Amino acid sequence: MRTGPMNIGGMLGRHARVRGDHPALVFGSERLSYRELNARVNRLAHCLATLGLAKGDHVATILPNSIELMTAYWAAAKTGLVVVPMSPLLRGPGLASLLRDSDAALLIATPETAALVDEIRPDLGAIRPERFLVTGSRAGWQSLDQLTRAEPETDPVRVELASEDPYDIFYSSGTTGVPKGIVHTHFVRAMYGVLFAATLRVKPESVVLHSGSIVFNGAWLTLMPWMHQGATYILEPKFDPARFVSLVRTERVTHAVMVPSQIVALLHEPTATREALASLELLLTVGAPLHLEHKQALVARWPGIFYELYGLTEGFHTILDRDDAERKLDSVGAPTGLFEMRIVDDEGRDLPAGAVGEIVGRGPLMMPGYYRRPDLTALAIRDGWLFSGDLGYRDDDGFLHLVDRKKDLIISGGVNVYPRDIEEVVVQHPAVREAAVFGAPDDRWGEAPVAAVRLREPVDPLELVQWVNARVSARFQQIREVVIVEDFPRNTAGKILKRELRDGFRREARPAG
């Protein structure tokens, strides 16, 4: 067990004292210095104490990207509270279940998300009535703005925290249908700051732009280095490719994290020239595999800035560094310093280079476990190693090549078919913008590959089937049909939910004849 004092909230107070006038956070028209951000965080910290919360209590949020959400993160850090960020996309019983599972003692919402909470409020008896806070105004809720205005800007009462004290609970995206609360300690988040600042080359002078949801753990890859280094963070309400380009140019942005769907949109944005993005030192893709076709286009247009991270919120990652990108573009990088990786078979035995197996790893970002689920923790962490549920192989140089999720594997006629191999072919068609391949029931083969596609221009589905099947490397990779969709079902991180695609396809399928 790690011991010793550790409070990541102290970083904000340090920057407020040492470089208080430096730009800290930009959100829309609001620009806060470190001194101003620290004052807002302190008022919220005092407010939470006035409401009776103490070290170890859980604060849930159902907030979009906002200064209020960022303030909640750092108020929790300063006071020893545990923050539980919930996606604003959650609804009904699913939201109620997570709020109960998290043992939330207080909830912060917007008027819009508060309306959703009111529908399930009778199921949330553990939260006292005065601890329902709203960022605007709504009947039956306390106004967060009014409460914090009444509090001082001075530092809150110092709370003694150790490195193993929990700081946040991030619920998994639910792609398996069973979201799990992933606990991060103050030590783990501190390591996010230190390790990723070094790996991603974040400096005090850096300007970080983030357009994705910060309730997605991938946002913390630059959020923690930003605070550790005392850099500048530009937070956008949502992603818009033209506005992204404009902000990079006007704010001289140096670092940005994006999910694959955002990168695809940026590749199709006419204003995203090499000159417009000249200040960028890093463009990091996370959350889901980026197809090789899109990697090649990105590297060709904006050389020297591409990074890719494969990782799990539970605590393991590899990184494809910009200096390795050209020679290892078909990989997802290698473990960084202090991390170890193995590829194992179904019995947990190590496999040699080139052999496909489950990816397992360990390192200093490892979660202590899933919240209140020792059974699931024991399945995920065995003998100190995190079992990912992902399939891949390492090459002779130790670089990881991602094959697919175990659960997305298609078994057709007894043969293992990896959807990602087929997707890499589908996205090469000039009419295809994005693709997702999944297994559909088949009377003859058990399962057969089906490709769902988003188009950039019209194409005949039968023609696309023929085009793909003429180019895949094996007959068992041939797709049975193409389904054209307006958009894919996605989680907060922008990851395509293949389970929902499969379920929707099965509901709509009709018997032949």
Side-chain angles (χ1 to χ4, degrees):
M1 178 180 291
R2 306 178 184 105
T3 58
M6 178 76 67
N7 184 340
I8 60 172
M11 293 187 288
L12 176 56
R14 181 264 179 195
H15 298 320
R17 293 189 302 273
V18 173
R19 53 202 323 251
D21 293 329
H22 189 78
L25 180 61
V26 179
F27 184 79
S29 60
E30 290 198 77
R31 306 179 75 91
L32 301 180
S33 68
Y34 273 100
R35 185 177 295 109
E36 291 166 333
L37 177 59
N38 188 56
R40 289 204 187 191
V41 168
N42 285 348
R43 285 199 296 267
L44 179 56
H46 283 294
C47 168
L48 297 174
T50 299
L51 290 169
L53 271 68
K55 173 185 173 180
D57 286 337
H58 295 188
V59 174
T61 64
I62 314 176
L63 299 172
N65 285 2
S66 57
I67 289 181
E68 289 86 357
L69 179 55
M70 192 70 83
T71 303
Y73 283 160
W74 296 105
K78 283 195 172 198
T79 55
L81 299 172
V82 180
V83 65
V84 188
M86 300 282 182
S87 168
L89 301 178
L90 288 167
R91 299 287 188 277
L95 176 58
S97 175
L98 292 193
L99 286 169
R100 288 194 304 269
D101 184 80
S102 69
D103 291 324
L106 180 142
L107 178 60
I108 304 175
T110 64
E112 294 75 21
T113 57
L116 300 173
V117 172
D118 281 340
E119 297 176 4
I120 58 170
R121 196 160 170 174
D123 299 329
L124 306 178
I127 303 178
R128 286 157 42 179
E130 70 274 16
R131 292 180 178 174
F132 286 86
L133 311 185
V134 67
T135 55
S137 62
R138 182 173 175 82
W141 291 67
Q142 290 217 76
S143 167
L144 180 69
D145 303 331
Q146 292 179 7
L147 291 173
T148 53
R149 262 199 303 270
E151 299 290 348
E153 297 180 354
T154 55
D155 289 334
V157 175
R158 179 181 174 85
V159 177
E160 289 299 324
L161 293 169
S163 57
E164 65 268 21
D165 281 322
Y167 165 61
D168 66 59
I169 301 173
F170 267 62
Y171 276 87
S172 65
S173 57
T175 54
T176 62
V178 185
K180 303 177 288 289
I182 301 166
V183 178
H184 297 117
T185 63
H186 278 256
F187 176 86
V188 167
R189 286 308 189 192
M191 289 298 98
Y192 266 71
V194 173
L195 297 179
F196 287 118
T199 302
L200 305 181
R201 300 173 172 91
V202 179
K203 305 178 290 294
E205 302 78 28
S206 296
V207 179
V208 177
L209 171 58
H210 194 77
S211 305
S213 172
I214 58 172
V215 304
F216 161 47
N217 188 64
W220 292 67
L221 300 170
T222 50
L223 194 153
M224 284 306 304
W226 152 63
M227 183 57 74
H228 178 264
Q229 298 290 70
T232 300
Y233 199 92
I234 302 173
L235 180 62
E236 284 286 279
K238 62 181 181 179
F239 176 72
D240 176 82
R243 178 165 170 78
F244 177 91
V245 174
S246 176
L247 283 170
V248 170
R249 182 190 293 114
T250 57
E251 300 285 352
R252 307 304 298 165
V253 172
T254 59
H255 290 69
V257 176
M258 305 178 81
V259 296
S261 60
Q262 294 172 337
I263 287 180
V264 171
L266 192 64
L267 286 168
H268 291 89
E269 171 53 46
T271 64
T273 63
R274 184 177 300 190
E275 293 73 25
L277 303 186
S279 64
L280 274 183
E281 300 170 11
L282 170 142
L283 186 56
L284 173 69
T285 178
V286 300
L290 182 64
H291 293 304
L292 185 60
E293 178 88 358
H294 299 139
K295 289 187 189 184
Q296 291 168 335
L298 191 157
V299 170
R301 186 180 299 185
W302 308 299
I305 65 170
F306 175 65
Y307 296 66
E308 182 171 19
L309 181 138
Y310 158 77
L312 291 85
T313 304
E314 287 89 339
F316 172 74
H317 71 268
T318 64
I319 286 186
L320 180 61
D321 186 80
R322 68 183 187 193
D323 293 337
D324 297 315
E326 287 195 21
R327 69 187 181 94
K328 293 289 186 180
L329 201 56
D330 59 343
S331 80
V332 289
T336 55
L338 306 179
F339 288 82
E340 300 174 80
M341 180 182 71
R342 298 161 55 209
I343 306 295
V344 302
D345 63 16
D346 289 341
E347 283 71 46
R349 295 173 300 205
D350 289 314
L351 294 172
V356 174
E358 184 170 1
I359 304 161
V360 303
R362 64 184 180 186
L365 300 184
M366 190 88 78
M367 67 171 182
Y370 296 115
Y371 184 61
R372 298 199 313 171
R373 292 304 302 266
D375 54 334
L376 296 179
T377 301
L379 291 175
I381 302 176
R382 305 173 218 164
D383 297 323
W385 292 88
L386 176 63
F387 282 67
S388 69
D390 293 332
L391 298 172
Y393 66 91
R394 68 176 187 279
D395 63 25
D396 291 333
D397 298 321
F399 282 72
L400 175 64
H401 296 253
L402 196 60
V403 174
D404 235 312
R405 291 285 297 168
K406 261 188 171 182
K407 64 183 178 59
D408 290 335
L409 181 69
I410 301 169
I411 302 178
S412 183
V415 178
N416 290 348
V417 182
Y418 301 110
R420 189 163 178 249
D421 291 340
I422 305 171
E423 291 164 359
E424 294 283 5
V425 175
V426 181
V427 296
Q428 293 178 37
H429 192 283
V432 175
R433 186 181 183 94
E434 285 186 281
V437 172
F438 58 92
D442 187 90
D443 291 340
R444 183 178 182 186
W445 302 111
E447 282 187 304
V450 170
V453 298
R454 289 181 66 211
L455 299 177
R456 63 169 66 106
E457 60 187 57
V459 66
D460 177 26
L462 289 178
E463 175 195 322
L464 184 53
V465 168
Q466 294 168 357
W467 188 94
V468 171
N469 289 346
R471 287 163 175 79
V472 292
S473 59
R475 187 170 181 176
F476 58 75
Q477 293 177 325
Q478 292 183 346
I479 58 177
R480 190 179 72 191
E481 59 187 289
V482 162
V483 178
I484 297 173
V485 299
E486 289 296 317
D487 200 358
F488 293 115
R490 304 177 192 270
N491 63 17
T492 310
K495 187 182 297 184
I496 296 170
L497 300 175
K498 289 189 179 180
R499 175 172 53 85
E500 291 192 11
L501 282 175
R502 283 192 297 267
D503 292 346
F505 180 85
R506 288 167 181 164
R507 284 194 299 270
E508 294 173 11
R510 296 290 183 269

